[in-house]
Amino acid sequence: MNLIWFRNRWRTSLLALGSLVVIAAVACGSDEPDATATTAPSAPTTVPATAQPTSTPTAPDAPDAPATPTSAPVQATATTAPVGPADGPDGSLVYGMRVVEAVYGIGYVGPYRTSATKQIGGVEEHFFIFEDGNALTPQLVDTFSIDPAGTKVTMKLKEGIPFNAPRGFENRDFGMFDAAEAVEWFNRSNATTNPDSTYGDAGDLAGIFLEASVVDEYTLEVGLVSPIFFCLPLSQFGCLSAASGPHKVTTADDFGIEWARAHHVGTGPFVQGACTPGDRCTVHALDSHWRQVANVAEITSLQIPEAQTQIAMLRNGAIDMVVLDYKLLPDVVSGSTEFRFLETMPGGFVGQSILFSGNLWEEFHARTGEALNPWDSPVYDKDFPWLGDPWQETHASNVRYTDTDNPAGMTDMEQARLVRLALSVSIDRGGINEVLLNSIGTPIYSEYMGPEYPGWDPNRQTGVWDVDGNKITATGTQQSVPWEIADADLDEADRLLTLAGYPTDSSGDRVGFEKLTLQAYAAEAGPVGLEVADAIMSDWARLGIEIEGLIEDYGGVISPRMRQRVQFLPVLKNGDVHSNVFPLDWPLPLVDTSSSRPGWGVGFESPAGARWLFEMFAERDPQVREARHLDWVDYSMYWVQYAGVFQVPKGIVVNSRVKSWNGNQQHYSNVSGNPEFIELN
């Protein structure tokens, strides 16, 4: 779905226009087959007529039983004493969501979007979780080790943990989570071992892991692309860009691919119930579980696209909790004794930045060494002002256009850097926070850095870097960039654009500047991001640039273009950091380099990051890793790979039925993925 927005809107019209954009954006849905289960969903509290689904889910017949297994499910032998309410799970909650996705039961053939069951959480568990500052605290793993040469990781799984049957299939044995199942999950999900994998973490796994193999019933080995000692992308926290847990993928072999796609089978304290995309999905708590028995027996997600309907249903008791658009929070929670904003992972913020996709600066694949021939990408079909083309100087015989608009002595890389910096300094971050976020957020200046981030220093300067990651002497237009850049500085933006060879004419239009189209997406920060895009384009239009906005379905359109490295329009969303919650000694995401190919990437690639990534993987000294992390931040901020915009606290609005929800820390989620920790009043 395409929707052309506007040109040169002004701040006074933001709120009215934004609501229209939000409605249009959430109408984009999945093209996947409907995912249904064998029992009708439990009815939530009465729904107002304005929010009734267009059809009532029906209960299809269960598929024919497989030749094997037919015995009753095997119960877990708890490796630790189960924790939970004395009388077992009780009560139900209704969770309002803008969109209820389809169920994607086997991620390696799913689209790049979440599953309805993962939107609620509790069906999957993880190899590791974040606890007491350690992102590799074992959960499904009993013990693990990395060999001294850093060539493989060996994991011994906890024994006696079963895969749990979805509702309607309780008479079937789905087997145990053992090494054979873990190996199948690894090898079918990993883009290296399965190039056809569309799993959301396929590229992240490929950047770290080679093929997995079984050692014995509960022990497996996985080869490592390069030595890595400080973390593995197998943690719920989101180590190295991957945050999903293992699930049973061999259901595709046992029950058929369509059944497997529609039924999510995991080891968690909840199981999938009836789920209808675009309507509702229910998960049910188990009466016993090896780790944690939930307090709440049943949680139903209900699709409610429109914000005012969400608020009305919250107030009349039809739903118990909802992730509201941030600009609406004060009207709902201020002075209320019934509703409050609950941080389910206190201390975490979620942000949005502009990704300057299309800046492909790596010639060879960071892991395999294969030639990438980036100059053949359609992003370099023409001279876009915001895209730097290093190949003009180094591969002149291969480039598609002759670069003629640079000032004397200035490369295309420097010209484009000045343009991106000008676009960044023109953004009115303070106005966005005040008008659209009700002053609950803070500005950020990169995907990688801002207030509340580890290592934040508003007085720090980036220094000057060449594209390969070498620090060089400041000269001419190549000057250090402050971490805390000026806010809404149109004079400085005009100066930078003029330096870059794009002055204004007598009518105030920017001479020689390609029409700039900004794409936006209601990503982790929610629908307010679309209104933020409105504000940013207003700022850019004031620079004399012709501006256009475009909304497309992210999962179906933009993400595949990112994956194929053909996206050349800047996008307002987030990459693989988008949160302040991560240690200072971590490398920045491998998806910012060619390391994630053929999996998802943010659409730009840099040789400096590709080199530093593997240096940090192999580095055992956390202080050395911290220094390199800050270098990488400096490099990325100097080259303006991202223009950071804002961050806001993570959380959800709940009614007084919800007493608490203290989940594991996850830097990829706004709301905890551990509903088993919800306590009711």
Side-chain angles (χ1 to χ4, degrees):
M1 176 188 72
N2 292 353
L3 175 67
I4 299 298
W5 279 342
F6 45 77
R7 182 176 185 267
N8 202 14
R9 302 281 190 190
W10 300 104
R11 181 98 1 104
T12 55
S13 62
L14 286 180
L15 299 179
L17 287 173
S19 62
L20 297 177
V21 175
V22 170
I23 294 169
V26 299
C28 297
S30 169
D31 295 328
E32 291 298 302
D34 286 354
T36 54
T38 59
T39 55
S42 302
T45 310
T46 303
V47 179
T50 56
Q52 287 287 353
T54 56
S55 62
T56 302
T58 57
D61 294 334
D64 293 337
T68 63
T70 56
S71 59
V74 178
Q75 296 299 313
T77 301
T79 56
T80 58
V83 179
D87 298 325
D90 185 42
S92 63
L93 289 172
V94 180
Y95 188 163
M97 296 182 177
R98 288 187 298 111
V99 176
V100 174
E101 299 283 4
V103 172
Y104 306 119
I106 45 174
Y108 69 93
V109 295
Y112 187 81
R113 50 167 38 103
T114 193
S115 170
T117 44
K118 290 186 181 180
Q119 288 179 287
I120 304 171
V123 175
E124 285 183 359
E125 295 179 289
H126 295 78
F127 288 101
F128 303 96
I129 61 171
F130 188 97
E131 192 172 273
D132 297 328
N134 179 15
L136 289 184
T137 301
Q139 187 173 80
L140 293 172
V141 169
D142 189 19
T143 60
F144 76 102
S145 62
I146 297 172
D147 71 307
T151 63
K152 66 181 178 181
V153 57
T154 301
M155 291 183 286
K156 186 179 186 305
L157 305 176
K158 287 185 169 72
E159 299 183 19
I161 298 177
F163 284 110
N164 301 313
R167 275 293 177 97
F169 298 90
E170 291 87 350
N171 65 329
R172 300 188 181 182
D173 178 7
F174 285 86
M176 310 299 289
F177 181 62
D178 57 17
E181 290 288 352
V183 163
E184 288 297 326
W185 176 83
F186 263 107
N187 292 339
R188 298 190 196 194
S189 302
N190 186 342
T192 293
T193 50
N194 177 16
D196 294 327
S197 173
T198 55
Y199 191 47
D201 291 335
D204 307 304
L205 298 176
I208 305 300
F209 296 117
L210 300 172
E211 187 173 10
S213 60
V214 174
V215 176
D216 60 36
E217 185 177 6
Y218 286 99
T219 307
L220 65 150
E221 291 180 349
V222 192
L224 296 172
V225 171
S226 66
I228 178 169
F229 296 103
F230 76 100
C231 203
L232 296 168
L234 301 175
S235 174
Q236 182 183 18
F237 180 70
C239 286
L240 299 172
S241 307
S244 295
H247 49 274
K248 188 176 177 71
V249 296
T250 58
T251 51
D253 309 328
D254 298 336
F255 305 148
I257 192 76
E258 292 308 317
W259 190 96
R261 287 163 67 97
H263 296 85
H264 186 185
V265 180
T267 64
F270 285 85
V271 298
Q272 177 189 336
C275 295
T276 301
D279 184 4
R280 65 191 70 195
C281 182
T282 300
V283 296
H284 303 271
L286 297 169
D287 290 331
S288 62
H289 187 259
W290 74 272
R291 173 180 58 83
Q292 176 77 34
V293 177
N295 295 279
V296 181
E298 176 183 289
I299 303 174
T300 296
S301 63
L302 186 65
Q303 179 163 308
I304 314 165
E306 206 278 315
Q308 293 303 324
T309 306
Q310 293 173 355
I311 294 172
M313 294 177 69
L314 187 68
R315 285 173 170 161
N316 71 17
I319 60 175
D320 300 292
M321 52 189 182
V322 65
V323 178
L324 280 182
D325 193 358
Y326 282 91
K327 74 177 186 297
L328 302 175
L329 282 177
D331 290 340
V332 176
V333 303
S334 295
S336 173
T337 58
E338 178 64 17
F339 308 110
R340 73 188 193 280
F341 180 75
L342 178 64
E343 293 185 53
T344 62
M345 300 172 290
F349 285 73
V350 60
Q352 279 198 317
S353 300
I354 295 166
L355 285 64
F356 284 108
S357 299
N359 285 286
L360 303 176
W361 304 334
E362 291 184 54
E363 186 174 352
F364 300 101
H365 195 292
R367 289 185 290 108
T368 68
E370 73 175 290
L372 298 176
N373 300 328
W375 45 83
D376 290 337
S377 170
V379 305
Y380 290 126
D381 278 350
K382 60 188 298 187
D383 188 6
F384 294 105
W386 55 91
L387 295 188
D389 185 358
W391 319 115
Q392 290 287 326
E393 288 75 43
T394 60
H395 291 76
S397 62
N398 294 327
V399 297
R400 307 257 187 88
Y401 64 87
T402 301
D403 189 14
T404 59
D405 66 350
N406 298 341
M410 183 180 292
T411 66
D412 189 68
M413 287 289 285
E414 175 63 6
Q415 181 188 46
R417 185 189 73 85
L418 294 174
V419 168
R420 294 191 299 274
L421 183 58
L423 294 174
S424 183
V425 301
S426 70
I427 297 172
D428 187 359
R429 293 170 174 86
I432 287 169
N433 186 42
E434 180 181 353
V435 175
L436 296 178
L437 303 174
N438 290 283
S439 299
I440 65 172
T442 74
I444 57 174
Y445 303 95
S446 167
E447 172 91 351
Y448 299 146
M449 189 52 68
E452 309 297 334
Y453 278 65
W456 167 245
D457 179 358
N459 298 314
R460 185 176 173 116
Q461 297 267 339
T462 64
V464 181
W465 301 81
D466 69 17
V467 70
D468 292 317
N470 302 302
K471 244 183 175 176
I472 59 177
T473 302
T475 180
T477 62
Q478 296 175 293
Q479 298 295 319
S480 182
V481 176
W483 272 19
E484 187 172 37
I485 61 176
D487 192 33
D489 193 339
L490 298 181
D491 290 338
E492 174 65 4
D494 175 72
R495 185 186 74 84
L496 291 167
L497 289 173
T498 301
L499 277 176
Y502 299 110
T504 55
D505 60 19
S506 58
S507 62
D509 292 331
R510 196 63 57 176
V511 177
F513 201 100
E514 176 78 19
K515 179 175 70 174
L516 178 58
T517 299
L518 177 65
Q519 295 200 276
Y521 172 63
E524 280 76 359
V528 72
L530 299 172
E531 298 186 46
V532 170
D534 187 330
I536 291 170
M537 286 188 284
S538 295
D539 293 331
W540 289 355
R542 294 166 67 189
L543 295 173
I545 299 171
E546 183 181 0
I547 299 296
E548 185 177 75
L550 178 64
I551 298 177
E552 295 178 300
D553 175 51
Y554 181 77
V557 179
I558 301 176
S559 177
R561 288 203 296 257
M562 294 279 203
R563 187 179 186 216
Q564 296 163 23
R565 275 65 175 182
V566 297
Q567 173 76 19
F568 61 88
L569 299 176
V571 182
L572 176 67
K573 61 175 301 291
N574 47 260
D576 255 17
V577 173
H578 72 71
S579 169
N580 66 308
V581 185
F582 59 91
L584 184 58
D585 68 326
W586 284 31
L588 300 181
L590 56 88
V591 298
D592 288 8
T593 74
S594 64
S595 295
S596 66
R597 289 191 186 221
W600 180 77
V602 294
F604 63 73
E605 296 172 346
S606 59
R611 184 178 78 252
W612 292 335
L613 183 72
F614 292 101
E615 290 176 0
M616 293 180 73
F617 284 174
E619 178 57 58
R620 298 171 187 258
D621 186 339
Q623 291 185 326
V624 174
R625 294 198 300 265
E626 288 179 0
R628 179 56 74 204
H629 176 108
L630 294 174
D631 282 344
W632 198 339
V633 170
D634 285 341
Y635 170 93
S636 185
M637 293 181 77
Y638 174 76
W639 282 106
V640 201
Q641 293 178 308
Y642 297 95
V645 182
F646 72 91
Q647 64 179 356
V648 285
K650 300 179 179 183
I652 188 170
V653 176
V654 299
N655 64 18
S656 58
R657 295 189 61 221
V658 179
K659 178 181 179 181
S660 64
W661 186 354
N662 294 315
N664 301 329
Q665 194 65 253
Q666 303 165 242
H667 86 266
Y668 280 123
S669 300
N670 286 12
V671 180
S672 169
N674 300 112
E676 65 268 27
F677 296 130
I678 296 175
E679 293 189 20
L680 300 180
N681 283 309

